Amino acid sequence: MDDLLPNATGKPALGIAGRFGSRARGSHGLSVALLGPDGSGKTTLAKALQEQTANAFRGADYYHAAFGFLPRLNTIARWFLGRGQRDERPAPPPGTNHGGMIAPHPALKSLLYVAYYAIDYLVGGMAMKRATAQGRLVLLDRWFVDYFIQRAHRRASQRLLRAIARLLPKPDLIVFLVGDRDTLHARKPELTAEEIEFQCRRMADLARWLPNTLLLRTDRPLAESLAELQAEVCRRRGARQRCA
């Protein structure tokens, strides 16, 4: 597993505002998608990056799982089935099933999910591009390529997923959060250690053909992971606006 992952840099965390300077709040924003298994620190890193970039961008937008321009499919299903009340069934034991990610959906059901949410990612992607053109930072906690990773959609046509992914507006940077399976599992045991390792390997494969990607180790202190992410954000934005 470790041969697929980048080595820790050991660099101290540096505020991105210091890299860009107070005059860097121009019209060049950036969109960053964070993907990884449970316990990899997506939300923690997103919040930390947003705090560090407060003076570097003209604001920030944060989206979790999807953009939310369309109602969620389970909400629509409950409405059609007359189940207006929340499902009160007990949650499955940790490590056995988490949101359907362990047991793959039937191919037709997966196709429905992918096609439906692709519309949301299309509309949201256009809004994302508009926001970055205005100098804003857009943070995505997951993105469409998550369908390549989650076990729920392992039966979906990979050719179809690739075709849709090529058509959708893309983030400026896709960050795959990877690390030692046991370390990530200890943080959040909803997934098995084996599933975490599978997802990390899958992300390493995706990084080989997807453009604008970064494999980021998060099985280390947050300051080290954040420093490497900030350096990459600075480099990506520097292609549009010179770093201070």
Side-chain angles (χ1 to χ4, degrees), residues 211-224:
N212 303 321
T213 59
L214 170 68
L215 277 175
L216 181 68
R217 290 197 77 111
T218 56
D219 55 350
R220 52 179 170 167
L222 173 63
E224 295 180 12

Side-chain angles (χ1 to χ4, degrees), residues 86-146:
R86 187 177 179 179
D87 195 342
E88 299 295 338
R89 290 177 296 178
T96 59
N97 193 306
H98 180 62
M101 286 189 284
I102 296 299
H105 292 321
L108 183 59
K109 181 177 181 180
S110 186
L111 175 62
L112 174 62
Y113 269 86
V114 170
Y116 182 80
Y117 286 111
I119 300 173
D120 185 75
Y121 280 106
L122 176 62
V123 177
M126 292 187 289
M128 173 185 71
K129 295 297 184 182
R130 183 168 59 251
T132 57
Q134 295 170 351
R136 299 181 66 82
L137 173 68
V138 179
L139 294 169
L140 310 174
D141 187 333
R142 300 187 185 278
W143 187 60
F144 180 83
V145 294
D146 207 36

Side-chain angles (χ1 to χ4, degrees), residues 173-209:
L173 176 62
I174 301 173
V175 184
F176 291 120
L177 308 182
V178 294
D180 175 71
R181 69 176 199 173
D182 295 323
T183 301
L184 302 187
H185 181 262
R187 291 178 186 169
K188 203 169 184 181
E190 279 87 350
L191 298 178
T192 64
E194 291 75 18
E195 173 65 13
I196 291 174
E197 181 175 18
F198 181 93
Q199 291 191 14
C200 288
R201 288 185 177 276
R202 184 69 176 128
M203 287 186 290
D205 291 337
L206 289 170
R208 294 188 178 101
W209 68 270

Side-chain angles (χ1 to χ4, degrees), residues 1 5 14 17 32 40 44 59 68-69 72 88 92 113 146 163-164 168 171 174 182 186 197 222 225 229:
M1 179 65 218
L5 308 178
L14 298 175
V32 181
S40 59
T44 301
F69 286 96
R72 298 189 67 83
E88 299 295 338
Y113 269 86
D146 207 36
I164 296 176
L168 295 176
I174 301 173
D182 295 323
E197 181 175 18
L222 173 63
S225 301
L229 177 58

